[in-house]
Amino acid sequence: MKKMFTLVLVSVLGGAITLGTYKTFLEKEEPQIANNTTDNNPIFLPTNHNVNTTALVAAENIDFTHAANKTIHAVVHVKSVASTNVQPTLQDLFYGRIPQQRQLGTGSGVIISPDGYIITNNHVIEDSEKLSVTLNDNRTLPAKIIGTDPKTDIALLKVESSEQLPYTTFGDSDTAKIGEWVLAVGNPYNLTSTVTAGIISAKSRDLSGKSTQSFIQTDAAVNPGNSGGALVNTAGELIGINTAISSRTGSYIGYSFAVPSNIAKKVVQDIMEFGNVQNGILGVIGGSLNSNYAEKLGVAETEGFYVDDVEEDTGAEEAGIKSGDIIKKIDNIKIRKFSDLRGFLDSKRPNDIVNVTLLRDGKLKEVAVTLLKNNRYILPVIGEIKNAKPEDLRKYKTKNGVKITKVNGTYSQYLQNEGIEEGNIITAINNIKVNNIQDVDNILKNRDTYQPISIELINSKGETNRYGLR
């Protein structure tokens, strides 16, 4: 009897365990319909403790289709073919041949006018011998280079078409805001246009560390081949030209960078109107403020551009800007660091008038400054030169030349031994007379790469000497 009771008890327990296992692991859960409207208290609260958080709702309500439809047909695939020198063989050396290899480069471009002007990156088409562009409808057209600006990495191309082409319009990159949604549109692998989305992560980014750049940073996915493609806002307006990515692998890992549209537009307009880029300078020398720099200078401000010195014969000098001033705004654009100032000036040209807001002795002051054309140039070995004034030329009894304003510190002892000093007038380079720094730039650009530089110079004693530089 006792054994019978034990057997029954074991059977009951086994059945209970089996049923529990089935209910827990095997039986499918029926969907529950919420009939009541009572809200349960959430286990986790948003970090801003705002129950009516709208961030996710805002993201879900954004419609990218309008911006994408306005842009995809204006973005093209750019293919360039270039010849590069390769390591010669013994046979090549014997016959005096220079072996070359055909190199194919690809990228993207953006049509900016119905008659076929296309903007892209300079590095996409640099050194190209043959260019072609494939439209989003798979038509391929030959392209030619109208002009380039390596400093901003912008190039302007032109294609001929029997019909008007789809194009995109420039937006105002100065009004673009951090956190704003943007689309990156490119044609990286000749697969027709590709669209990715993200937000503006930062503005006025300088990747060089030399305060020569001012990029828009986004987290929209951009990969190799997207260079020269469009960065557009939700209205489909072009606010940047995608140029670079931050990567250790060569592929996108989170950040991409675009040349602001205001800079790109100005470069294109200069190329079309003047054939080169016209840069207007403010005429100040200094640096970005931060805690350490501010402490060193003994100022309370940690944002802005601190003016160490003002260059002579510039708009800043004429407007009365002084050493010790802190530039806080230009035309209502906040200046927190030098790349803010650099980006703004890159979108301006000589003779433009800008309103500069300064902090001087704890008080804000606004002055109007006329930007002037840069009249300074760095001559290899010698140092900084500038256009000579009429009184400079009269002093040295010459009718033409450029003036040495600062000798190269690396070669200062050598230059001093040769009698080359600040104030001397250079009258010719490579036996060609020079009247201004543009003449100097043209001579150096058009010379052979390994051709030495010779200069004709009048020193402080009125002696004319010639020097060979390497």
Side-chain angles (χ1 to χ4, degrees):
M1 187 70 179
K2 190 173 181 180
K3 288 183 179 181
M4 180 67 70
F5 177 76
T6 301
L7 183 61
V8 170
L9 181 61
V10 169
S11 299
V12 171
L13 288 173
I17 292 171
T18 302
L19 180 61
T21 301
Y22 172 79
K23 295 290 287 181
T24 302
F25 297 106
L26 300 178
E27 184 177 39
K28 292 186 178 179
E29 191 174 298
E30 291 294 326
Q32 300 295 313
I33 300 176
N35 291 321
N36 59 41
T37 58
T38 304
D39 292 333
N40 293 325
N41 291 329
I43 299 174
F44 300 104
L45 292 175
T47 54
N48 61 358
H49 303 294
N50 181 2
V51 177
N52 296 319
T53 301
T54 59
L56 292 177
V57 176
E60 289 174 357
N61 289 339
I62 291 178
D63 184 3
F64 295 121
T65 58
H66 172 69
N69 286 333
K70 283 187 66 175
T71 313
I72 55 174
H73 297 297
V75 174
V76 300
H77 179 74
V78 179
K79 183 171 72 172
S80 68
V81 178
S83 296
T84 58
N85 294 337
V86 297
Q87 188 71 28
T89 64
L90 288 175
Q91 191 176 24
D92 291 325
L93 293 173
F94 180 79
Y95 286 104
R97 297 184 304 215
I98 301 176
Q100 291 188 323
Q101 179 178 321
R102 304 281 278 181
Q103 186 172 353
L104 177 66
T106 62
S108 301
V110 186
I111 305 174
I112 56 172
S113 70
D115 57 344
Y117 282 99
I118 296 171
I119 189 171
T120 185
N121 284 141
N122 178 66
H123 73 260
V124 171
I125 53 86
E126 194 171 20
D127 299 325
S128 64
E129 297 173 353
K130 184 179 179 182
L131 275 175
S132 64
V133 163
T134 303
L135 309 180
N136 201 48
D137 60 7
N138 294 321
R139 282 186 295 157
T140 298
L141 302 172
K144 63 179 180 179
I145 299 173
I146 301 300
T148 64
D149 181 38
K151 186 170 77 77
T152 56
D153 200 12
I154 293 295
L156 181 65
L157 311 180
K158 181 72 165 64
V159 296
E160 300 297 336
S161 175
S162 58
E163 57 189 56
Q164 289 194 336
L165 298 175
Y167 66 98
T168 189
T169 56
F170 284 100
D172 185 356
S173 55
D174 284 343
T175 62
K177 295 179 173 59
I178 295 174
E180 178 181 337
W181 283 98
V182 288
L183 297 181
V185 187
N187 195 323
Y189 305 113
N190 204 13
L191 300 174
T192 69
S193 295
T194 302
V195 180
T196 56
I199 62 169
I200 295 177
S201 306
K203 296 178 68 177
S204 302
R205 285 295 198 214
D206 175 26
L207 304 183
S208 69
K210 300 176 182 178
S211 298
T212 58
Q213 301 169 330
S214 185
F215 288 125
I216 296 174
Q217 177 183 320
T218 79
D219 66 352
V222 171
N223 283 290
N226 278 77
S227 288
L231 185 72
V232 299
N233 57 22
T234 52
E237 297 170 329
L238 185 66
I239 61 166
I241 299 298
N242 296 317
T243 298
I245 59 176
S246 175
S247 174
R248 294 180 180 177
T249 63
S251 297
Y252 173 79
I253 58 170
Y255 295 126
S256 55
F257 302 89
V259 177
S261 61
N262 286 3
I263 294 176
K265 180 181 179 181
K266 184 258 182 183
V267 169
V268 166
Q269 289 175 336
D270 282 355
I271 290 173
M272 295 176 70
E273 186 174 350
F274 305 104
N276 55 32
V277 178
Q278 307 288 302
N279 292 315
I281 65 165
L282 192 63
V284 294
I285 301 171
S288 304
L289 284 173
N290 54 40
S291 295
N292 293 333
Y293 192 31
E295 184 178 356
K296 181 180 177 181
L297 295 170
V299 298
E301 297 292 314
T302 57
E303 288 187 334
F305 180 85
Y306 183 85
V307 179
D308 280 319
D309 198 8
V310 178
E311 297 181 86
E312 64 175 10
D313 304 322
T314 61
E317 182 187 52
E318 183 70 23
I321 296 178
K322 301 177 181 179
S323 173
D325 288 345
I326 299 172
I327 297 176
K328 302 294 287 184
K329 287 183 182 179
I330 299 188
D331 284 353
N332 291 320
I333 301 297
K334 287 186 178 180
I335 306 299
R336 296 184 174 90
K337 52 189 181 296
F338 184 63
S339 53
D340 292 328
L341 183 62
R342 176 77 275 151
F344 178 85
L345 293 177
D346 280 347
S347 66
K348 299 296 179 180
R349 56 170 57 99
N351 299 320
D352 283 349
I353 298 175
V354 298
N355 294 313
V356 180
T357 302
L358 307 167
L359 185 65
R360 180 187 294 172
D361 299 326
K363 296 180 180 179
L364 291 175
K365 176 183 176 67
E366 187 173 289
V367 296
V369 180
T370 300
L371 303 180
L372 300 180
K373 190 171 183 177
N374 183 25
N375 68 348
R376 285 168 169 76
Y377 187 86
I378 302 300
L379 183 62
V381 180
I382 298 298
E384 183 183 90
I385 60 175
K386 64 174 287 189
N387 294 337
K389 297 179 182 178
E391 53 265 34
D392 296 325
L393 299 178
R394 285 195 298 267
K395 178 181 177 181
Y396 283 82
K397 298 179 181 178
T398 181
K399 294 182 179 179
N400 70 286
V402 293
K403 179 181 177 180
I404 300 175
T405 56
K406 188 181 296 183
V407 296
N408 188 326
T410 305
Y411 301 103
S412 59
Q413 189 61 52
Y414 163 78
L415 297 173
Q416 184 179 356
N417 292 340
E418 293 294 327
I420 300 174
E421 303 170 327
E422 293 180 7
N424 291 174
I425 301 295
I426 297 173
T427 56
I429 294 180
N430 290 353
N431 298 318
I432 303 172
K433 284 187 176 183
V434 295
N435 296 292
N436 49 53
I437 60 170
Q438 189 62 52
D439 291 343
V440 177
D441 185 49
N442 291 336
I443 292 169
L444 296 185
K445 279 182 178 177
N446 294 325
R447 74 187 179 99
D448 293 336
T449 306
Y450 300 105
Q451 180 187 356
I453 301 173
S454 66
I455 65 170
E456 182 181 277
L457 177 145
I458 303 175
N459 62 25
S460 57
K461 297 178 182 179
E463 302 168 337
T464 300
N465 295 314
R466 290 175 176 81
Y467 302 90
L469 309 175
R470 288 209 178 253

